[in-house]
Amino acid sequence: MQENTLGKGWYGMAGPLFHIEDLHVSVEDKEIVRGLNLTLKGGEIHAIMGPNGTGKSTLASALMGHPAYEIIGGKVTLDGEDVLEMSVDERARKGMFLAMQYPAEVPGVSNANFIRTALNARLGEGNEIPVMKFHRELQAQMKRLNIDPVFAERYLNEGFSGGEKKRNEILQMVMLKPRVVILDEIDSGLDIDALKIVAEAVNSMRSPEVTFLIITHYQRLLQYIVPDFVHVMMQGRIVRSGGRELAERLEAEGYDWLKHELGIEDETVGVQA
Amino acid sequence: MAEQTTTIVSVTAEALSVRYVEPDWLRKMRAGAWEIFQAAPSPKLEKTDLRDRSWDIGPYADEPGSPSEEAEALVGELAGQAYVHVRNGVAVAVHLPEALAAQGVVMTDLHTAVRDHADLVKAHLGTVVKPDEGKWAALNAALWHGGIFVYVPRNVVVDTPVHFVYEETGQAAGGAPRALVVADEHSALSYVEVFLTAGSQPDKVHTGVTEVIAKTGAKVTAAAVGGYRKGPANFSVRRAHIGNDASVDWVFADIGDGFSVVLLESDLAGDGSASTVQGIGIGTGRQHLDLTASVLHHGRYSTSDIQLHGAMKDRANAIYRSSTHIFKGAVGAGSEQHDRMLMLDKRARADAIPMLLIDENDVQRCGHAASVGRIDQNQVYYLMSRGIPRSEATKMIIWGYLEPTVQRIPSEVVRTHLVRRIDRELEA
């Protein structure tokens, strides 16, 4: 595995503390996340599992600040700072990163130009990465993620396959070195080889200076990225938390036993309005 | 409706013929065109009201006057390359590299070409944009002043671009430049014209005509970069006549806040002929732009592709029409159109109007897509989610929208010039 030439922990700060308290989110006036609590600390990997329509992706988008998601209650802080007061780009510059399920295509903007602009925005004025160093680093990371070098000059996500988009999200992750990483169904649409590559990239970033929130349907990804905590989301909140064994039981038995234990008939946010 | 157009022209065709000691055929051509111009009614455009437009042009200056900073910088960077530089109708520089001259390439200002290459000019001038096709084509044919002539002999491939820099400074009173570009059989050429106007004199008219002739098997890239400032009404016609198995690829960029009616057309006369039309525009201030990109399919198996990308700021109002006409007999013809308009300000307006006329039953493909919209907020969000501030993200997206066309301009100097101008407009 290639070492990151920017070095680990280039922020030179202590591990992040990301805190979500009683979060409520609505989309088009419909409440989707309904009182969610979660604390992520540096060095930890949390997985959120759950069936479709339980609010997992809404949580991810709302944390990043997508304009379509309205925060109607609760608090989110990063190292004590109010995340909800920050614009989307400020959140990113503070170290948040969301690998999106459906990243936008931006014609005419090359992948390399985009990543370099983003990296320089994170590094701040006066600390920009030299162009040659950037390209060396980019090519090294692309090689490691098994991405064809031509993708550096391809237009951002334009005409990329589902799997190529996912790997491109991971490329941005390793280049930007965020502190709070949210992976929204990064495993969907990936074959097993690509999944292993993505998992390896995540594992290589694992350190006390980074915390991960991994959203997934399947236990498959968690065989390669071993989580410290597994949470199950239903009806817009976390209904059960446990260790790795919780994910294994869900994989083996499905969600019905848990719904039965909790007395939940419909786990989605659709009915219980 | 009463014709209110005023026609006060301070220059005459005869005076031009005398000034340039023109041969009889040209004298007659100008005089005939003048008759047509005077008789022709003001054209009626669906979306552009021309009734109150005056048709005043001139008087033409005897001397070129002092250069604009912008033109001077551009011409400075062209040092050593092939270019003709005309200011206020008067040729101020003609530079043809020795290597091109040795290949038999002719490139000079059009008045000189009338004298030194009479047969070539006479055989082609006015054959693609004819004096009788409309009021401003007639006006240009009667009063053209300043221009370029390019001729590439058979089988000659010119691998460096040929430039025409035309500038109108503050003293100018409109103008009528004319370009004639002839690529003989199986030759290849990149031609780039840059028009810079200073933009005073609101009652004057600017009428430019560019004729491109691509004979059998010739390959021409023709780029036009225009910047019409508030002031003279600009009417321009650019047309290519494309022979058997020949191709003409148009690339154009129009940036300004002026009043313009622009036609850019490819006549796919030959079998197997091809043309692409790729254009961008940035409208600012109270620009009124009425632009038509048109392809006429006459030849069998002729193909075309039109792509227009406009971005409107302030109170700009633009009409982008793309028109494809497949005539009876153009068996196997294929065409595509993609038009996108981006509104950058609430008060900006744009229409994207696709037009398809198909008289032949046996065509390969015929597609069109047109849209008018604002910047995609999902794209902005995506870039911002990586730390890029909103203003920079927006600029990147607009640049991305324009960039692929800018990159196709076949002259590095003109590309750089255009990038600077677009940057300036987007910063403003």
Side-chain angles (χ1 to χ4, degrees):
Chain A
M1 172 84 39
Q2 191 113 17
E3 261 308 304
N4 214 313
T5 58
L6 289 171
K8 277 185 176 173
W10 53 297
Y11 267 86
M13 11 174 135
L17 178 63
F18 192 77
H19 188 66
I20 307 168
E21 196 179 309
D22 194 27
L23 187 69
H24 294 258
V25 181
S26 77
V27 183
E28 289 168 354
D29 293 329
K30 184 170 158 38
E31 190 175 346
I32 306 288
V33 175
R34 300 166 174 176
L36 187 134
N37 296 290
L38 189 62
T39 299
L40 311 175
K41 292 177 189 158
E44 294 176 353
I45 295 187
H46 293 250
I48 292 191
M49 302 186 70
N52 268 325
T54 55
K56 301 188 303 294
S57 285
T58 298
L59 172 69
S61 297
L63 290 175
M64 201 65 230
H66 191 292
Y69 298 82
E70 194 192 349
I71 310 288
I72 52 175
K75 247 173 77 175
V76 180
T77 57
L78 171 56
D79 301 330
E81 283 189 85
D82 187 350
V83 168
L84 301 179
E85 280 297 305
M86 297 176 196
S87 60
V88 176
D89 53 315
E90 275 178 272
R91 294 178 202 202
R93 291 197 300 273
K94 292 279 183 189
M96 287 179 64
F97 180 90
L98 168 62
M100 298 187 194
Q101 204 177 345
Y102 303 108
E105 299 187 2
V106 189
V109 175
S110 80
N111 216 5
N113 180 30
F114 162 61
I115 296 175
R116 189 159 70 91
T117 307
L119 184 55
N120 284 335
R122 292 257 341 250
L123 294 168
E125 240 178 270
N127 296 315
E128 288 89 350
I129 182 168
V131 177
M132 289 313 291
K133 185 176 178 192
F134 168 78
H135 283 285
R136 272 200 308 274
E137 171 73 10
L138 183 69
Q139 287 301 335
Q141 295 292 0
M142 287 175 78
K143 190 174 174 195
R144 170 185 160 190
L145 294 170
N146 201 17
I147 298 172
D148 188 320
V150 300
F151 276 73
E153 292 310 319
R154 287 271 301 268
Y155 292 148
L156 180 52
N157 291 326
E158 194 186 44
F160 287 24
S161 70
E164 285 163 353
K165 283 180 183 168
K166 293 297 169 68
R167 262 184 289 174
N168 206 45
E169 292 290 285
I170 294 299
L171 174 65
Q172 293 168 44
M173 177 188 78
V174 297
M175 289 301 293
L176 296 174
K177 295 180 190 55
R179 304 173 64 227
V180 178
V181 177
I182 306 166
L183 305 177
D184 188 8
E185 298 198 13
I186 196 71
D187 47 340
S188 64
L190 286 186
D191 60 38
I192 196 73
D193 292 331
L195 191 76
K196 281 180 185 168
I197 290 169
V198 165
E200 195 177 67
V202 170
N203 289 328
S204 75
M205 270 185 65
R206 212 169 173 165
S207 90
E209 272 123 57
V210 188
T211 185
F212 289 88
L213 181 62
I214 297 172
I215 292 169
T216 179
H217 279 300
Y218 311 105
Q219 203 258 341
R220 189 177 69 140
L221 177 66
L222 304 180
Q223 288 173 354
Y224 301 100
I225 306 172
V226 180
D228 303 298
F229 302 95
V230 174
H231 311 278
V232 178
M233 208 166 156
M234 287 185 185
Q235 296 177 335
R237 62 180 76 92
I238 288 169
V239 294
R240 179 65 56 94
S241 295
R244 187 186 177 186
E245 69 291 343
L246 179 57
E248 281 160 5
R249 182 163 179 204
L250 291 169
E251 181 73 9
E253 300 176 31
Y255 289 95
D256 285 348
W257 63 272
L258 185 56
K259 283 163 68 180
H260 184 72
E261 266 185 45
L262 296 167
I264 291 173
E265 277 182 24
D266 181 354
E267 71 280 11
T268 70
V269 285
V271 173
Q272 273 215 355
Chain B
M1 211 173 293
E3 177 75 37
Q4 293 170 3
T5 311
T6 47
T7 305
I8 327 154
V9 175
S10 342
V11 61
T12 65
E14 183 56 25
L16 277 164
S17 290
V18 170
R19 175 171 171 176
Y20 289 99
V21 200
E22 287 175 344
D24 256 5
W25 66 266
L26 184 54
R27 188 180 290 244
K28 279 182 188 147
M29 194 177 184
R30 285 190 187 273
W34 178 248
E35 295 294 320
I36 295 165
F37 166 69
Q38 282 189 306
S42 211
K44 300 225 171 354
L45 289 169
E46 191 191 346
K47 301 258 180 185
T48 299
D49 188 354
L50 294 174
R51 280 170 304 164
D52 291 337
R53 284 282 147 187
S54 81
W55 292 89
D56 197 8
I57 192 169
Y60 288 159
D62 292 331
E63 298 296 325
S66 9
S68 70
E69 247 176 66
E70 196 176 13
E72 203 165 41
L74 178 66
V75 171
E77 284 163 28
L78 286 175
Q81 300 194 41
Y83 70 92
V84 169
H85 178 198
V86 171
R87 186 185 312 125
N88 298 327
V90 183
V92 288
V94 174
H95 183 260
L96 180 65
E98 190 49 47
L100 267 64
Q103 286 180 291
V105 173
V106 176
M107 184 213 68
T108 186
D109 83 275
L110 190 52
H111 296 286
T112 303
V114 167
R115 193 187 65 209
D116 295 353
H117 304 278
D119 291 348
L120 279 173
V121 175
K122 189 179 173 186
H124 299 103
L125 188 72
T127 60
V128 182
V129 178
K130 298 184 176 73
D132 59 359
E133 71 172 57
K135 195 161 178 84
W136 54 81
L139 182 59
N140 181 285
L143 299 181
W144 66 264
H145 183 221
I148 185 173
F149 174 66
V150 183
Y151 174 77
V152 184
R154 197 173 296 187
N155 299 327
V156 169
V157 173
V158 181
D159 50 17
T160 53
V162 168
H163 303 81
F164 177 35
V165 178
Y166 179 86
E167 105 185 91
E168 269 167 32
T169 62
Q171 290 74 40
R178 190 158 189 123
L180 177 60
V181 177
V182 182
D184 215 329
E185 294 178 6
H186 305 288
S187 67
L189 172 73
S190 293
Y191 164 76
V192 185
E193 59 184 31
V194 182
F195 284 34
L196 303 166
T197 69
S200 55
Q201 305 271 18
D203 297 328
K204 301 291 180 176
V205 165
H206 174 97
T207 171
V209 167
T210 298
E211 297 179 281
V212 175
I213 297 161
K215 300 197 178 180
T216 299
K219 294 207 176 314
V220 177
T221 300
V225 175
Y228 296 99
R229 307 269 153 75
K230 194 175 160 193
N234 165 47
F235 300 95
S236 79
V237 182
R238 297 189 179 97
R239 186 178 293 120
H241 183 271
I242 307 166
N244 289 340
D245 302 310
S247 70
V248 172
D249 293 319
W250 290 102
V251 189
F252 72 89
D254 185 291
I255 302 166
D257 60 359
F259 178 99
S260 295
V261 179
V262 174
L263 171 66
L264 198 147
E265 193 161 70
S266 285
D267 183 356
L268 293 171
D271 292 348
S273 57
S275 183
T276 61
V277 182
Q278 194 169 341
I280 54 168
I282 301 178
T284 64
R286 286 181 170 245
Q287 184 201 47
H288 180 95
L289 172 66
D290 187 318
L291 182 144
T292 305
S294 160
V295 180
L296 311 172
H297 286 261
H298 288 103
R300 293 180 300 150
Y301 301 97
S302 53
T303 60
S304 69
D305 189 347
I306 302 176
Q307 285 195 39
L308 306 177
H309 281 184
M312 307 310 134
K313 283 177 65 173
D314 309 323
R315 300 181 71 172
N317 178 6
I319 300 113
Y320 282 71
R321 259 183 229 92
S322 47
S323 167
T324 307
H325 193 162
I326 299 181
F327 290 85
K328 187 85 193 142
V331 171
S335 82
E336 294 289 339
Q337 298 177 0
H338 295 274
D339 303 342
R340 263 196 75 195
M341 300 299 122
L342 202 54
M343 302 294 100
L344 303 179
D345 282 305
K346 282 201 172 65
R347 292 189 297 178
R349 284 181 49 197
D351 292 300
I353 307 172
M355 295 189 286
L356 273 173
L357 292 159
I358 306 173
D359 302 331
E360 172 57 55
N361 292 325
D362 182 10
V363 297
Q364 272 183 54
R365 66 192 155 80
C366 239
H368 69 88
S371 70
V372 176
R374 297 187 186 278
I375 289 181
D376 182 344
Q377 289 307 309
N378 276 320
Q379 293 178 340
V380 177
Y381 164 71
Y382 186 59
L383 299 193
M384 286 177 75
S385 81
R386 302 303 186 239
I388 301 169
R390 179 181 292 276
S391 59
E392 201 177 344
T394 305
K395 222 175 98 179
M396 281 178 85
I397 292 164
I398 300 170
W399 251 120
Y401 172 79
L402 304 172
E403 172 93 5
T405 302
V406 174
Q407 287 310 326
R408 290 195 56 183
I409 290 179
S411 158
E412 197 186 334
V413 169
V414 175
R415 268 200 308 274
T416 309
H417 163 83
L418 183 61
V419 165
R420 276 199 300 264
R421 268 181 52 195
I422 294 175
D423 260 337
R424 213 158 58 216
E425 291 303 340
L426 296 183
E427 294 292 345

